[in-house]
Amino acid sequence: MKEPEKALTPRLVKKMWLTFIFIIVLMGASYIFITGYFANMYNQATAQRVNADIANHLIEEKFQNTSPFLEDGSVNKALFGDLMHDMMAVNRSIEVYLLNNAGQILYSVVLDHSDNAPAKRVSLAPIKQFIENKGEAYVLGDDPRNPGEQKIFSVASFEADGQAGYVYIILAGKEFQLISENLLAQYFIKLGIGATLLTMLFAAFIGFISIWFLTKNLRLITRTIRRFQEGDLDARIENPEKSNIEVFAHSFNDMADTIVGNLDKMKSVDLLRRELIANVSHDLRTPLAILKGYIETLQIKKDTLSESEKEEYLQITHDNVDKLSKLIHQLFEYSKLEAEQITPIKEPFSITELSYDLIAKFQVIADKKEIGLHLNNPEENSMVFADVSLVERALQNLIENAIKYTEPQGKVTLSIKRKENNVEINITDTGTGIPVSEQPFIFDRYKQVDKNQKKMGSGLGLAIVKKIMDLHDTTITVLSRPKEGSSFIFNLPAYQS
Ligand code: ADP
């Protein structure tokens, strides 16, 4: 069942969107702030430039023949009152101050006298800068009514009755400020909403495209992983080198290959195990059935059977018990080797001595079968570095097979040959031999060339030998011709004392 695309990478997309929204809001706020700041500055600079000459004008026009001071040196308040009425009729937002040349306020005409007491002096530095630049520069001066605040102004110097001073006019008075703030707020809301919406629109568009591109590959990979998870073991990311997240795509494909490989291996191991169990249970059942049959016969006919018959039956039961215990022993050994529960304990030992011992051990069986069993050992003593009990087990299995598959009057020879860094061990017989087509499989578990052979064993002997060779990082080779005999050859690392 196909799930909606959205559900594939929701968290990532959500986080990306949240980040985008945050950036958009931040951008909008910064935009409004910067625009507001410069709009205000622009507004004030314009007002100052337009009204730069107002103070000069005032002095030229109004004080032409008069002085701002009375004869007793005090300020001519009547003149100023007049002046202000004229000025305010034109512009209500201005405030006029008369300063002495130290910046001290001598007289002021402001619209609202109920306000805070004005400051007693204003800073001269901006005044001088203004006069120097002839009003062309944007300079802020002290606002006497609001100490600490800076406002645009116009100023002109004068000299009358031996007194020098300035006519200082605050251009953006309280009224101007109120109106300006009001208008600015109105425009800002519009500007802010407009700008933010526009930014959001573009950012959303860019965001949508970027997120789509970014998550495109992720979606593809997630889809493939899901297909794999749902059982489609062939699901792989196509053309991983073209993906924007190539390493990830390759890793997934490699991982999927490994999983499929392991699954195949497990399946084949499982198949072999089932085969083994089926074959083994068959082999256990045969000797058990024989045992049961002979024991029952012995029980029922014990009075009618001759002594020699009884002896024969007992011998058969004995042989079958032997067979059973051997099979169980081999199975136990093989399963331990296969489960890698056995770690070889390698040490130097004399392969020559071990071979002498084994030949002696098997001599009785060989003699019984009238088979010549020999050791061919041109060297005095050959030392190898290996696990002695495992090598003994392998040699036992090989000698046992050689004797088993060789007819009476035949020969079995164990040869030890010193090579450069190795010692070569060869078990040769003149027995039945193994068909060429079967040779590659005889080391497989439970492989028997001819299931109907009388000498049939467990089919585990050579598989155990192979496992022991693996543990010694060596291989075993078979050279065999049907009816002529077989040779099993392997090498062990020589030990230099
Ligand atoms: P088994 O218990 O049947 O002998 P092995 O694993 O020892 O099982 O051997 C597997 C098969 O390889 C045998 O069934 C036999 O057909 C063949 N084989 C092994 N050794 C020899 C040999 N020396 N000569 C002829 N055939 C052999």
Side-chain angles (χ1 to χ4, degrees):
M1 198 181 71
K2 199 170 183 274
E3 286 203 27
E5 196 90 315
K6 231 172 71 193
L8 293 178
T9 45
R11 268 237 206 119
L12 181 68
V13 174
K14 210 154 107 191
K15 277 185 189 165
M16 282 174 148
W17 271 118
L18 279 176
T19 316
F20 260 106
I21 290 167
F22 176 73
I23 293 171
I24 290 164
V25 170
L26 204 74
M27 268 170 68
S30 318
Y31 183 76
I32 293 170
F33 177 78
I34 293 168
T35 318
Y37 179 79
F38 283 105
N40 189 34
M41 209 160 134
Y42 159 80
N43 183 26
Q44 294 208 36
T46 315
Q48 191 171 39
R49 188 71 72 85
V50 167
N51 299 301
D53 261 350
I54 198 166
N56 260 325
H57 204 63
L58 193 107
I59 291 168
E60 276 168 25
E61 292 279 315
K62 301 287 174 188
F63 301 162
Q64 258 175 10
N65 305 311
T66 36
S67 156
F69 302 101
L70 293 175
E71 277 168 14
D72 60 358
S74 65
V75 177
N76 187 345
K77 291 185 183 174
L79 177 74
F80 268 97
D82 233 27
L83 195 86
M84 275 319 293
H85 282 294
D86 283 3
M87 305 238 4
M88 295 196 141
V90 184
N91 190 347
R92 286 166 60 84
S93 71
I94 61 172
E95 290 156 10
V96 184
Y97 298 88
L98 183 68
L99 311 178
N100 67 10
N101 58 359
Q104 215 169 355
I105 297 168
L106 301 175
Y107 186 69
S108 71
V109 184
V110 291
L111 196 65
D112 187 0
H113 284 280
S114 68
D115 259 332
N116 312 338
K120 290 282 181 315
R121 63 165 62 240
V122 294
S123 165
L124 280 180
I127 293 175
K128 286 189 174 147
Q129 197 191 340
F130 184 90
I131 293 170
E132 208 171 284
N133 291 310
K134 298 193 174 72
E136 305 260 310
Y138 171 59
V139 198
L140 296 179
D142 290 344
D143 176 10
R145 282 180 76 190
N146 300 296
E149 274 187 35
Q150 303 263 290
K151 296 273 165 67
I152 47 166
F153 64 95
S154 169
V155 74
S157 58
F158 70 86
E159 255 201 75
D161 306 331
Q163 296 199 52
Y166 302 98
V167 171
Y168 182 66
I169 303 172
I170 290 292
L171 296 170
K174 211 174 159 101
E175 191 109 342
F176 176 91
Q177 224 175 331
L178 273 175
I179 294 169
S180 163
E181 273 168 15
N182 224 336
L183 281 175
L184 218 60
Q186 277 180 29
Y187 278 108
F188 268 176
I189 292 169
K190 284 183 195 161
L191 184 81
I193 293 173
T196 312
L197 276 178
L198 216 68
T199 319
M200 266 174 97
L201 202 76
F202 280 116
F205 183 64
I206 294 167
F208 184 77
I209 291 181
S210 337
I211 290 171
W212 188 82
F213 267 116
L214 275 170
T215 54
K216 188 180 153 213
N217 290 288
L218 271 183
R219 282 198 307 271
L220 179 78
I221 291 176
T222 320
R223 256 203 312 266
T224 317
I225 292 175
R226 230 171 235 184
R227 261 174 55 209
F228 191 81
Q229 185 193 358
E230 280 161 8
D232 178 3
L233 298 180
D234 294 329
R236 294 287 183 283
I237 295 156
E238 279 170 31
N239 306 323
E241 59 287 340
K242 281 191 190 154
S243 160
N244 293 334
I245 24 185
E246 192 185 332
V247 182
F248 191 32
H250 270 303
S251 303
F252 169 76
N253 284 357
D254 292 348
M255 186 196 76
D257 288 346
T258 313
I259 291 175
V260 172
N262 285 347
L263 271 177
D264 287 349
K265 236 186 256 170
M266 272 161 67
K267 269 187 208 158
S268 70
V269 166
D270 190 52
L271 199 77
L272 280 169
R273 192 162 291 146
R274 277 163 201 243
E275 210 176 291
L276 181 74
I277 290 169
N279 290 338
V280 164
S281 54
H282 172 262
D283 266 20
L284 287 173
R285 224 180 294 136
T286 318
L288 270 176
I290 297 170
L291 272 175
K292 198 171 171 243
Y294 278 97
I295 290 167
E296 274 172 5
T297 316
L298 276 168
Q299 277 174 333
I300 297 162
K301 297 189 181 172
K302 60 176 180 269
D303 299 331
T304 51
L305 285 173
S306 68
E307 270 317 298
S308 65
E309 276 173 325
K310 280 183 193 166
E311 195 66 36
E312 191 197 337
Y313 285 12
L314 277 172
Q315 188 57 48
I316 294 169
T317 51
H318 184 268
D319 289 351
N320 278 289
V321 167
D322 264 2
K323 217 175 182 179
L324 261 178
S325 74
K326 195 179 161 201
L327 177 61
I328 290 164
H329 178 73
Q330 275 188 326
L331 259 177
F332 185 63
E333 204 172 3
Y334 181 77
S335 62
K336 269 206 303 191
L337 279 164
E338 199 196 40
E340 287 169 12
Q341 278 177 1
I342 291 176
T343 330
I345 304 159
K346 293 179 189 172
E347 56 188 340
F349 69 89
S350 164
I351 187 80
T352 313
E353 257 176 51
L354 179 69
S355 304
Y356 272 123
D357 289 351
L358 284 170
I359 294 286
K361 190 174 153 189
F362 280 97
Q363 202 69 58
V364 185
I365 307 168
D367 285 350
K368 233 191 224 172
K369 235 186 137 182
E370 290 172 38
I371 289 170
L373 179 61
H374 309 280
L375 177 69
N376 182 7
N377 180 45
E379 307 274 332
E380 280 261 299
N381 190 14
S382 295
M383 296 288 284
V384 291
F385 189 75
D387 184 312
V388 60
S389 56
L390 288 178
V391 172
E392 184 180 2
R393 187 81 191 100
L395 281 172
Q396 258 179 19
N397 285 4
L398 293 169
I399 298 169
E400 225 171 57
N401 275 352
I403 296 173
K404 188 158 58 170
Y405 297 105
T406 301
E407 297 300 324
Q409 315 308 327
K411 245 170 80 179
V412 173
T413 315
L414 198 160
S415 313
I416 299 167
K417 212 187 284 172
R418 184 68 205 266
K419 295 201 158 174
E420 253 173 64
N421 295 318
N422 292 321
V423 175
E424 187 190 271
I425 297 127
N426 186 333
I427 298 103
T428 301
D429 63 60
T430 55
T432 55
I434 306 156
V436 179
S437 59
E438 298 291 341
Q439 286 175 18
F441 310 110
I442 53 167
F443 294 100
D444 289 349
R445 279 170 285 199
Y446 224 83
K447 205 76 192 176
Q448 285 172 327
V449 173
D450 182 359
K451 285 259 171 192
N452 299 319
Q453 284 183 86
K454 268 203 234 134
K455 302 154 190 144
M456 202 172 76
S458 66
L460 283 165
L462 287 183
I464 290 172
V465 171
K466 172 81 171 32
K467 286 271 173 203
I468 292 172
M469 295 300 131
D470 289 348
L471 284 175
H472 284 86
D473 301 315
T474 187
T475 48
I476 181 156
T477 322
V478 58
L479 301 172
S480 181
R481 270 193 201 188
K483 295 197 179 100
E484 283 184 25
S486 319
S487 287
F488 287 84
I489 307 151
F490 65 95
N491 284 284
L492 286 175
Y495 180 75
Q496 262 94 355
S497 50

